[in-house]
């Protein structure tokens, strides 16, 4: 299991590749992943950049708790969470979640649960910078 | 007695402070009132005590860290 909070751009597919290469060959029959990236629009407005604020100690602790809970609730062999903070530009990755298990259902369901829990409870906050100024994102979209 | 208080995101900006210290309080509500001069708390206010989610009725003690913040929007 691993949890990383990064203050610079990262390449999610490279992270998945490198992380999975450390695993024993033949152990996992399934891998599920979610990658969230920054759009250049929100609510019909152009977004130039976004700043992600967090509560460092609580955020790290909360993400680690999520991983532990996922491994308790599903037969996962491994789990990876990576999340950006700081200034983010359109096209850059914001979050990566990876789950590995013997069979597909555990990996898929755990991955889905992790991103939903993270979005609604992990202490991160987005502030968008657009041509007319800046604004805090007040809530997440409802699982769309 | 000393309780460290932190504010995040839009709440930090609207209150004009990121952190302060409260000397005497037994509940999160008392911490809020002392730290904000009894500002009206937002309806969607979230709170954590020592890095775990709590509520306005939660008890606090010397050395605790209390954080107030708006709904989270990560991911």
């Amino acid at each position: 299991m691993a949890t990383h909070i990064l203050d610079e751009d990262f390449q999610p597919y490279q992270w998945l590749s490198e992380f999975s290469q450390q695993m024993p060959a033949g152990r996992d029959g399934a891998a599920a992943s979610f990658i969230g990236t920054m759009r250049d629009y929100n609510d019909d407005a152009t977004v130039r950049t976004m700043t992600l604020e967090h509560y460092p100690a609580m955020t790290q602790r909360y993400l680690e708790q999520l991983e532990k809970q996922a491994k308790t609730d599903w037969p996962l062999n491994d789990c990876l969470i990576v999340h950006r903070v700081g200034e983010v530009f359109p096209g850059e990755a914001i979050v990566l979640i990876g789950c590995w298990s013997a069979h597909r259902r555990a990996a898929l369901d755990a991955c889905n649960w992790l991103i939903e829990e993270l979005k609604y409870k992990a202490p991160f906050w987005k502030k968008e910078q657009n041509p007319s100024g800046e604004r805090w994102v007040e809530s997440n979209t409802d699982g769309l | 007695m000393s309780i460290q208080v932190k504010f995040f995101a839009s709440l930090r900006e609207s209150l004009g402070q990121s952190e302060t210290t409260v000397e005497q309080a037994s509940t999160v509500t008392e911490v809020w009132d002392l730290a904000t001069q009894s500002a009206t708390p937002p309806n969607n206010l979230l709170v954590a005590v020592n890095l775990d989610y709590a509520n306005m009725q939660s008890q606090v003690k010397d050395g605790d860290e209390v954080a107030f913040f708006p709904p989270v929007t990560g991911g």
Side-chain angles (χ1 to χ4, degrees), chain A residues 36-54:
Chain A
T37 54
M38 184 186 160
R39 284 175 282 114
D40 61 3
Y41 63 93
N42 191 21
D43 293 337
D44 297 327
T46 299
V47 182
R48 287 179 171 162
T49 66
M50 190 165 66
T51 305
L52 269 156
E53 179 176 331
H54 72 313

Side-chain angles (χ1 to χ4, degrees), chain B residues 2-43:
Chain B
S2 178
I3 294 168
Q4 192 174 4
V5 187
K6 295 186 174 187
F7 303 99
F8 289 93
S10 57
L11 188 64
R12 181 191 70 247
E13 291 187 349
S14 63
L15 291 172
Q17 61 177 344
S18 59
E19 56 183 272
T20 187
T21 302
V22 166
E23 300 302 331
Q24 282 291 336
S26 58
T27 66
V28 169
T29 296
E30 290 177 19
V31 172
W32 170 268
D33 286 341
L34 289 166
T36 68
Q37 291 78 51
S38 298
T40 302
N43 289 333

Side-chain angles (χ1 to χ4, degrees), chain A residues 2-79:
Chain A
T3 298
H4 299 271
I5 298 171
L6 307 177
D7 62 1
E8 59 185 6
D9 187 28
F10 73 102
Q11 304 303 315
Y13 297 101
Q14 186 177 338
W15 272 76
L16 282 172
S17 174
E18 292 178 359
F19 192 77
S20 60
Q21 282 171 18
Q22 301 169 9
M23 298 174 186
R27 182 193 64 182
D28 304 309
S33 63
F34 175 85
I35 295 168
T37 54
M38 184 186 160
R39 284 175 282 114
D40 61 3
Y41 63 93
N42 191 21
D43 293 337
D44 297 327
T46 299
V47 182
R48 287 179 171 162
T49 66
M50 190 165 66
T51 305
L52 269 156
E53 179 176 331
H54 72 313
Y55 179 3
M58 182 176 175
T59 308
Q60 180 70 37
R61 176 182 158 103
Y62 195 79
L63 295 183
E64 290 170 358
Q65 287 175 343
L66 284 184
E67 279 195 332
K68 285 179 187 166
Q69 189 63 47
K71 286 204 77 171
T72 300
D73 292 349
W74 288 276
L76 295 181
N77 291 330
D78 217 327
C79 186

Side-chain angles (χ1 to χ4, degrees), chain A residues 53 55 61 121 126-127, chain B residues 12-13 52-53 65 73 75:
Chain A
E53 179 176 331
Y55 179 3
R61 176 182 158 103
K121 292 182 183 169
K126 290 175 180 149
K127 189 180 203 181
Chain B
R12 181 191 70 247
E13 291 187 349
D52 283 325
Y53 278 106
E65 177 173 299
T73 55

Side-chain angles (χ1 to χ4, degrees), chain A residues 79-93:
Chain A
C79 186
L80 170 67
I81 299 177
V82 184
H83 203 293
R84 271 295 306 277
V85 294
E87 190 174 23
V88 184
F89 294 87
E92 291 185 355

